[in-house]
Amino acid sequence: MKKVLLLFALLLAVSAQAQKVKYTVKGVSKENGKMVYLEDRLTSTAVDSAIVAKGKFSFKGLADKDAIFAITFDPKDWQSWHTLFFNDGKTISVNMNDSTLKGSPLNERLAYYSKEILGLPSNYYPEYRYEMTKKMFEEEHETLLPAALIVEGQRAFGSKGLLSMLEEKPAYAEHPCVKKYEEGLKRMATATVVVRSGKTDEQKAAEKAAKDAFVGLQFTDFEMADTLGTMHKLSEYVGNGHWLFVDFWASWCGPCRAEMPNVVAAYEKFHTKGLEIVGISLDGQKEPWVKAIASLNMPWVHLSDLKAWESLVTKIYKINAIPDNLLIDPLGKIVARDLRGEDLHAKLAELLE
């Protein structure tokens, strides 16, 4: 009996090991001395890093088979270029100077589509981006490739359209990154989202699903100036037994101003019980921002890079409408998003009382 159990354990170990494969990345870059990161797209965390020395860098390790990785100089900056690849056990050679990649046929096709679809700002040549996305989903129906660019599927086909495609069970539908997105889409497919004008209901729902994907993940840090010009990191206010409410707003935002008395009331009620608030403004000018803080009686920390919709946080947290917010627990995990009105008070009462 012991021999049978031992054999069973060994088979389980071998099976588990079979789900892991080695990754080997050889890269070149002119950015000598700069840190380059290997990011797991499922968890949005950096799993490896290296310094560019004499024009070269490399990564080696063991990770889940077919995990989607991104090579980037700044994993927190969604505007920076991210070179994507699947961990299929084949060596990857990447040139960060011209965004070219050599590897398995699948990864070389992914590099091509990434450059064609993501290589231009989203507001440039939208018809071309749509046609290339449609072509990719059609031609790669029976491969994993669309999993790496699943967000583009939402933008091209809308949430209901993408969900219908996933119901047909294409090869990429079972990838963990796709399953995670699909769950978010199903939760929010019928949601009503208040966003900037010019977007369909399906586009709004897809954007909301993308935002809600952050719930359950660790927060991503960033740095901005306060009203006196002193730089602060968000991480300065996370932890120490406090729950942190990060409020994205702007002085010019009517719904934000209408919601602010409710946020002030929540702060007054729960501050002594462990609630802290950091306001992140999407203002473009300092004067109206500072005046609004005073007139709305907002007695908490305020930060902004005064770049309006081009602010760093809109890229990091997929912000497409305000008011918006995050609730972060004492360990740095995002536990809720977009809490307003009585929902905000109910959630804080649940957690703090």
Side-chain angles (χ1 to χ4, degrees):
M1 184 64 179
K2 289 183 178 179
K3 290 183 178 179
V4 173
L5 290 174
L6 179 59
L7 178 60
F8 182 68
L10 288 172
L11 288 173
L12 284 178
V14 170
S15 176
Q17 182 66 24
Q19 302 304 311
K20 302 282 185 179
V21 298
K22 292 181 179 179
Y23 61 80
T24 302
V25 177
K26 299 178 180 179
V28 297
S29 170
K30 60 184 178 182
E31 302 287 346
N32 282 310
K34 196 168 184 178
M35 188 72 77
V36 61
Y37 299 89
L38 186 67
E39 181 189 52
D40 186 329
R41 300 298 278 182
L42 179 64
T43 61
S44 298
T45 57
V47 298
D48 209 340
S49 62
I51 295 177
V52 179
K54 296 182 180 180
K56 297 181 180 181
F57 66 90
S58 64
F59 300 118
K60 285 187 178 181
L62 194 67
D64 290 342
K65 186 179 186 304
D66 296 324
I68 300 172
F69 284 139
I71 306 169
T72 176
F73 286 114
D74 188 352
K76 297 176 183 178
D77 183 3
W78 287 89
Q79 289 182 304
S80 66
W81 183 256
H82 290 57
T83 300
L84 302 173
F85 72 92
F86 288 92
N87 183 33
D88 57 10
K90 306 296 184 182
T91 297
I92 296 295
S93 296
V94 59
N95 187 329
M96 299 297 283
N97 300 321
D98 59 10
S99 303
T100 57
L101 178 148
K102 295 293 183 182
S104 66
L106 176 67
N107 280 320
E108 290 184 4
R109 293 199 306 277
L110 173 57
Y112 165 75
Y113 279 114
S114 294
K115 200 165 185 179
E116 290 296 305
I117 297 172
L118 304 178
L120 293 171
S122 59
N123 57 326
Y124 288 179
Y125 308 112
E127 295 83 4
Y128 179 75
R129 290 168 62 94
Y130 171 76
E131 290 301 325
M132 287 302 299
T133 301
K134 182 180 177 182
K135 181 174 183 285
M136 177 194 69
F137 272 81
E138 289 176 350
E139 294 186 351
E140 301 292 338
H141 183 81
E142 294 304 322
T143 78
L144 292 178
L145 196 153
L149 298 173
I150 195 67
V151 176
E152 299 307 311
Q154 294 179 24
R155 292 172 178 165
F157 309 116
S159 60
K160 290 183 180 179
L162 182 58
L163 283 170
S164 296
M165 293 166 64
L166 294 176
E167 287 175 359
E168 297 176 3
K169 301 299 180 183
Y172 58 86
E174 294 303 313
H175 192 281
C177 286
V178 176
K179 299 299 289 184
K180 180 179 178 181
Y181 251 88
E182 184 180 19
E183 290 171 4
L185 285 172
K186 287 179 177 178
R187 288 197 305 269
M188 302 309 302
T190 59
T192 300
V193 188
V194 180
V195 296
R196 289 175 285 176
S197 61
K199 298 179 181 179
T200 67
D201 289 342
E202 290 194 357
Q203 287 174 320
K204 296 171 185 178
E207 290 174 340
K208 186 66 165 64
K211 291 198 305 181
D212 280 3
F214 288 90
V215 175
L217 301 180
Q218 289 295 111
F219 80 103
T220 297
D221 207 6
F222 58 83
E223 189 174 37
M224 287 185 176
D226 62 18
T227 56
L228 299 177
T230 303
M231 299 300 292
H232 295 276
K233 289 186 176 181
L234 183 65
S235 55
E236 295 176 32
Y237 310 102
V238 177
N240 298 319
H242 300 297
W243 292 78
L244 181 65
F245 186 76
V246 184
D247 191 27
F248 304 107
W249 72 291
S251 65
W252 45 260
C253 171
C256 301
R257 298 182 76 106
E259 174 65 9
M260 204 56 69
N262 183 61
V263 179
V264 172
Y267 181 81
E268 292 175 347
K269 182 176 181 180
F270 295 101
H271 178 57
T272 58
K273 299 178 181 179
L275 176 68
E276 295 290 346
I277 297 180
V278 172
I280 307 297
S281 172
L282 298 189
D283 277 277
Q285 298 180 359
K286 183 176 181 179
E287 184 177 353
W289 171 42
V290 175
K291 285 184 176 179
I293 293 171
S295 65
L296 294 170
N297 300 311
M298 302 155 66
W300 47 79
V301 174
H302 292 275
L303 306 175
S304 180
D305 56 10
L306 297 178
K307 294 182 179 179
W309 283 110
E310 295 303 315
S311 174
L312 173 66
V313 295
T314 65
K315 311 304 184 297
I316 293 176
Y317 287 110
K318 303 294 185 184
I319 298 171
N320 48 63
I322 50 175
D324 195 358
N325 53 66
L326 307 170
L327 183 59
I328 302 174
D329 73 10
L331 297 179
K333 184 173 74 174
I334 299 170
V335 298
R337 184 162 191 174
D338 205 20
L339 294 169
R340 304 183 198 176
E342 288 301 316
D343 289 342
L344 171 60
H345 288 256
K347 189 65 175 181
L348 293 174
E350 172 191 341
L351 296 171
L352 299 180
E353 292 184 339

